[in-house]
């Protein structure tokens, strides 16, 4: 079912909500006085839609860095006559006192406030306005909600000496919250009297007191006939606690788990305590005792334990006290206890560290409120994904994505989560992943890169991006991913391995994309960044992958993009080209990349005069004889010169070398190449080559262009015959055959190209019958 859920497209409701939130002005709202959002007067929305708008808004602000929060968003829901709210989940810094205040007239049934640290005691007063309708309330991690600001002097001058101080509110209680059944007070600050606070609640069904230390919990017995769920995570228990819990006979869910790293606990869980729970809490379906040290042996002797087929029958339980259960538990939390490794555990779902299933159950159970446990569970998943094969891949991915989204600012989760993603998205799992899921991975990876400038997270994220088809799979976040990579490369002190991966990614991103993408990336400073990297490597006299990838990236980003070619020249690119040639005369790959790039520059008529110097022309002429990388360097040098020759003798503004002498060397070079050479080049369009055909001013340029076409259509007919036909090359070649100025060998070659293409067409016609 998880596979189906993760692969199904978004519902129309979700798509519409997302669209409206990203375009509030123009859909639901107008701007009043150019600053305040106002709902159109004819809009009336039910709670199903309003709840989703608010909850999605919070999600977007939290997880989408491009999404801009609106100062006045919550005021849109201030009037229950036009908008209704019932169930909302607000998180973190997004929500302030005035936001809750704005919706105080709404009849809320469910209000979850999670880690809303900006809320103060002003919001406690606002809560009272929901008291007659609230059934569920969470104040988890709202550590300032019981504090109010007090100005001790009360006078203007005194305020400068005594700034406002935070004072604990002691008189607030849940008086009047007659319908409240579910309450989460997790991580409530010390000093609040929980007993007084809760006493007015008549019939609590679920209470979460995570991370609070209470030495006396006797007051819980007032709900012994109603309480079905009790969470006391990280509370150091005592015999008194146990006796009170044993009286809560209606309990179905009991969680007394703890983080065994957080502090020293005096309490040890024993066989007697577990027996007491099993005997008294007869409705128990879920128990969490993760992180506990067992003082005495709760397990069955090992000979007996290992016998027979694995079973969840209580009668066969390896955990002795649980043999008294009437039926298996739905959930048993045994994470970081020795019990999770036993054979027979009487529960359908177990959290633990024994195998993938238990680890995934742990991530699922603890992600929302216990990041400290979750990061350790994800670390275990990372080892499973790295060493064995994950059998529940989609569930694992989904859970890691959720954890990374939920805890964007938690360094441990970002480190372990991004590392796990690398292994969960690699090629062996590729087939099982939908576009939607892979896009979610990319989103959380980019979030991680944005929030953390930390080396491990950056490296993990960059490596994970390498598991995707680039640029195709990253195109939906094209601008953002380029900005992040350039940001990494522009940092003054950079880890060598990250630099290498980031340059590789940059190069892949500008290969095979539309020109408007290339222009946009050029404007972000891409050309400048690559030239800086080259400059640095030159200074170190190092020609490594970073140097080669940087030139390759410049070759790709200047392809048919004149603005970027101009930038290359403006930022002293030619100076670096000459220095690299001189410093690394043997580096063939480097020469090929540099000349490929200069070929792109030479295609731009307005920029060619800048290449017209004795120094450059001599360098290009000498490279005609290069045997580097097969014919690639010689071919590219000849291409650069072909475009320069195409401007005619009057554009040749130098005395040395002579134009005729260079032309001679070009003919000699072209005649030395093997026509069947396999190529290290990729043409998306023949336009720059085809423009050299219909002219008589430079027969050698015409010959170079015809040779290039002949080589490509004969070695790669499937790719290049259709391209040449589509771009109208055949009539141009027929004109060459008729031209008086064209050389005989050029005409011969033009005939062969036409023949190749017509044979290709006929063959394809035959096969399609």
């Amino acid at each position: 079912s998880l596979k189906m859920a993760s692969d199904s497209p978004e519902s129309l409701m979700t798509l519409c909500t997302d669209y409206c939130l990203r375009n509030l002005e123009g859909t639901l709202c107008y701007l009043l006085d150019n600053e305040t959002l106002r709902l159109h007067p004819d809009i009336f929305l039910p709670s199903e839609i309003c709840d989703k708008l608010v909850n999605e808004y919070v999600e977007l602000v939290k997880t989408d860095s491009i999404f801009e929060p609106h100062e006045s968003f919550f005021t849109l829901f201030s009037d229950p006559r036009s908008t209704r709210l019932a169930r909302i989940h607000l998180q973190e810094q997004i929500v302030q006192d005035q936001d809750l205040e704005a919706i105080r007239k709404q009849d809320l049934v469910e209000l979850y406030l999670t880690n809303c640290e900006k809320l103060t005691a002003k919001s406690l007063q606002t809560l009272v306005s929901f008291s007659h309708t609230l059934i569920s309330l969470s104040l988890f991690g709202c550590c300032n909600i019981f504090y109010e600001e007090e100005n001790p002097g009360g006078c203007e001058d005194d305020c400068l000496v005594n700034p406002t101080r935070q004072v604990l509110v002691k008189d607030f209680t849940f008086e009047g919250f007659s319908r409240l059944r579910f309450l989460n007070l997790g991580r409530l600050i010390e000093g609040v009297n929980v007993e007084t606070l809760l006493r007015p609640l008549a019939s609590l069904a679920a209470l979460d007191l995570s991370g609070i230390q209470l030495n006396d919990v006797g007051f819980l017995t007032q709900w012994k006939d109603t309480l079905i769920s009790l969470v006391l995570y990280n509370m150091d228990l005592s015999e008194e606690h146990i006796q009170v819990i044993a009286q809560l006979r209606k309990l179905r869910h009991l969680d007394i788990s703890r983080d065994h790293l957080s502090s020293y606990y005096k309490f040890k869980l024993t066989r007697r305590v577990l027996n007491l729970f099993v005997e008294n809490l007869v409705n128990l379906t879920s128990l969490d005792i993760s992180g506990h040290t067992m003082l005495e042996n709760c397990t069955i002797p090992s000979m007996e334990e290992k016998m027979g087929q694995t079973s969840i029958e209580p009668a066969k339980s390896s955990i002795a006290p649980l043999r008294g259960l009437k039926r298996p538990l739905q959930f048993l939390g045994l994470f970081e206890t020795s019990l999770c490794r036993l054979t027979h555990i009487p529960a359908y779902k177990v959290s633990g560290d024994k195998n993938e299933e238990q680890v995934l159950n742990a991530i699922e159970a603890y992600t929302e409120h216990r990041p400290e446990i979750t990061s350790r569970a994800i670390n275990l998943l990372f080892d499973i994904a790295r060493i064995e094969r994950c059998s529940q891949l989609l569930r694992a991915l989904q859970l890691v994505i959720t954890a990374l989204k939920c805890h964007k600012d938690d360094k441990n989760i970002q480190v372990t989560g991004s590392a796990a993603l690398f292994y969960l998205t690699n090629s062996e799992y590729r087939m099982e992943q939908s576009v939607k899921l892979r896009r979610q991975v990319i989103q959380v990876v980019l979030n991680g890169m944005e929030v953390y400038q930390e080396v491990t997270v950056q490296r993990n994220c960059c490596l994970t991006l390498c598991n995707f088809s680039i640029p195709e799979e990253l195109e939906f976040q094209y601008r953002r991913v380029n900005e992040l990579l350039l940001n990494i490369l522009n940092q003054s002190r950079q880890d060598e391995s990250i630099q290498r991966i980031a340059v590789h990614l940059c190069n892949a991103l500008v290969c095979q994309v539309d020109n408007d993408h290339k222009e946009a990336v050029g404007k972000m400073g891409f050309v400048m960044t690559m030239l800086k990297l080259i400059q640095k490597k030159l200074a170190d006299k190092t020609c490594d992958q970073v140097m080669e990838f940087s030139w390759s990236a410049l070759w790709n980003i200047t392809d048919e993009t004149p603005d970027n070619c101009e930038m290359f020249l403006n930022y002293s690119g030619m100076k670096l080209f000459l220095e690299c040639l001189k410093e690394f005369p043997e580096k063939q790959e480097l020469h090929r990349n540099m000349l490929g790039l200069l070929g792109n520059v030479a295609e731009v008529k307005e920029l060619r005069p800048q290449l017209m110097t004795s120094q450059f022309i001599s360098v290009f002429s000498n490279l005609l004889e290069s045997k580097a990388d097969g014919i690639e360097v010689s071919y590219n040098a000849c291409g650069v010169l072909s475009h320069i020759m195409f401007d005619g003798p009057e554009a040749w503004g130098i005395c040395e070398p002579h134009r005729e002498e260079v032309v001679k060397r070009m003919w000699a070079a072209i005649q030395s190449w093997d026509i069947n050479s396999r190529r290290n080049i990729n043409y998306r369009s023949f336009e720059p080559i085809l423009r050299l055909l219909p002219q008589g001013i430079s027969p050698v340029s015409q010959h170079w262009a015809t040779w290039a076409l002949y080589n490509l259509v004969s070695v790669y007919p499937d790719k290049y015959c259709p391209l040449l036909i589509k771009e109208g090359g055949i009539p141009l070649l027929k004109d060459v055959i008729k031209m008086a100025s064209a050389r005989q060998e050029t005409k011969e070659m033009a005939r062969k190209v036409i023949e190749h293409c017509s044979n290709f067409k006929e063959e394809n016609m035959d096969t399609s019958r």
Side-chain angles (χ1 to χ4, degrees), residues 166-203:
Q166 302 288 321
V167 182
L168 197 59
V169 172
K170 300 216 169 163
D171 55 359
F172 178 83
T173 73
F174 285 112
E175 187 67 58
F177 286 73
S178 56
R179 303 182 64 189
L180 199 59
R181 300 281 178 280
F182 303 91
L183 180 59
N184 184 339
L185 294 176
R187 305 227 320 263
L188 188 71
I189 40 109
E190 277 182 35
V192 177
N193 186 327
V194 179
E195 184 177 348
T196 316
L197 186 67
L198 300 183
R199 191 177 294 121
L201 297 174
S203 43

Side-chain angles (χ1 to χ4, degrees), residues 150-407:
E150 182 183 84
N151 180 356
C155 75
E156 293 303 314
D157 302 332
D158 203 23
C159 302
L160 302 172
V161 189
N162 293 319
T164 52
R165 55 195 188 104
Q166 302 288 321
V167 182
L168 197 59
V169 172
K170 300 216 169 163
D171 55 359
F172 178 83
T173 73
F174 285 112
E175 187 67 58
F177 286 73
S178 56
R179 303 182 64 189
L180 199 59
R181 300 281 178 280
F182 303 91
L183 180 59
N184 184 339
L185 294 176
R187 305 227 320 263
L188 188 71
I189 40 109
E190 277 182 35
V192 177
N193 186 327
V194 179
E195 184 177 348
T196 316
L197 186 67
L198 300 183
R199 191 177 294 121
L201 297 174
S203 43
L204 264 186
L207 181 62
D208 187 327
L209 298 172
S210 295
I212 305 172
Q213 187 50 49
L214 295 178
N215 296 327
D216 179 11
V217 290
F219 66 91
L220 293 176
T221 56
Q222 75 185 74
W223 301 292
K224 64 176 188 294
D225 297 327
T226 58
L227 206 60
I228 54 174
S229 168
L230 179 64
V231 178
L232 304 176
Y233 169 69
N234 264 355
M235 191 181 286
D236 197 9
L237 306 171
S238 66
E239 186 55 39
E240 285 76 29
H241 289 80
I242 299 304
Q243 292 306 326
V244 170
I245 293 168
Q247 292 176 55
L248 307 173
R249 292 172 174 274
K250 290 283 196 320
L251 277 186
R252 287 187 223 151
H253 171 63
L254 173 63
D255 182 344
I256 53 166
S257 63
R258 62 193 193 189
D259 175 1
H260 75 101
L261 298 182
S262 76
S263 62
Y264 175 72
Y265 292 99
K266 294 184 279 301
F267 179 78
K268 299 277 194 293
L269 201 55
T270 63
R271 187 170 184 151
R272 182 186 61 79
V273 172
L274 282 182
N275 272 327
L276 193 68
F277 288 165
V278 171
E279 280 164 31
N280 288 284
L281 310 177
V282 291
N283 297 315
L284 213 55
T285 59
S286 166
L287 174 66
D288 202 331
I289 53 173
S290 297
H292 274 281
T293 314
M294 304 297 164
L295 188 62
E296 52 184 67
N297 199 353
C298 291
T299 59
I300 300 298
S302 61
M303 280 303 290
E304 204 183 321
E305 199 254 320
K306 291 278 188 290
M307 276 168 59
Q309 289 260 273
T310 308
S311 167
I312 62 166
E313 283 309 308
K316 295 184 178 168
S317 171
S318 305
I319 305 167
L322 301 188
R323 289 192 162 186
L325 290 168
K326 304 275 180 294
R327 67 197 76 78
L329 294 168
Q330 293 296 323
F331 176 84
L332 179 58
L334 300 175
F335 190 68
E336 295 180 321
T337 67
S338 53
L339 300 182
C340 70
R341 297 196 185 83
L342 297 170
T343 309
H344 308 294
I345 301 175
Y348 293 103
K349 216 173 195 180
V350 178
S351 75
D353 46 34
K354 176 185 175 182
N355 53 30
E356 182 185 350
E357 171 67 21
Q358 286 190 0
V359 168
L360 292 178
N361 290 340
I363 299 172
E364 188 169 35
Y366 309 128
T367 288
E368 192 179 357
H369 292 131
R370 302 177 193 175
E372 62 284 359
I373 306 281
T374 309
S375 68
R376 302 205 289 272
I378 293 176
N379 210 14
L380 293 166
L381 176 65
F382 162 74
D383 283 334
I384 294 167
R386 186 171 58 99
I387 299 158
E388 311 159 32
R389 189 181 160 86
C390 265
S391 57
Q392 300 182 51
L393 172 76
L394 293 174
R395 184 178 172 216
L397 253 182
Q398 211 87 55
L399 289 170
V400 174
I401 289 170
T402 303
L404 284 166
K405 269 183 162 175
C406 193
H407 301 287

Side-chain angles (χ1 to χ4, degrees), residues 683-701:
Y683 283 101
R684 287 188 308 140
S685 160
F686 280 148
E687 197 279 321
I689 294 179
L690 294 177
R691 72 173 84 132
L692 298 175
L693 292 179
Q695 49 93 19
I697 202 153
S698 170
V700 72
S701 306

Side-chain angles (χ1 to χ4, degrees), residues 555 577 581 585 587-596 619-641 669 673 679-681 704:
W555 180 6
F577 159 68
L581 264 183
K587 293 285 183 184
Q588 305 196 356
E589 184 85 356
L590 181 71
H591 293 187
R592 172 174 71 96
N593 292 346
M594 294 196 300
L595 275 155
V619 167
F620 299 141
S621 306
N622 292 335
L623 286 168
L624 287 168
E625 271 104 64
S626 165
K627 294 285 172 276
D629 204 12
I631 66 164
E632 296 304 330
V633 172
S634 175
Y635 169 89
N636 280 323
C638 199
V640 172
L641 291 166
W673 302 336
R679 302 305 304 285
N680 224 332
I681 199 163
W704 174 82

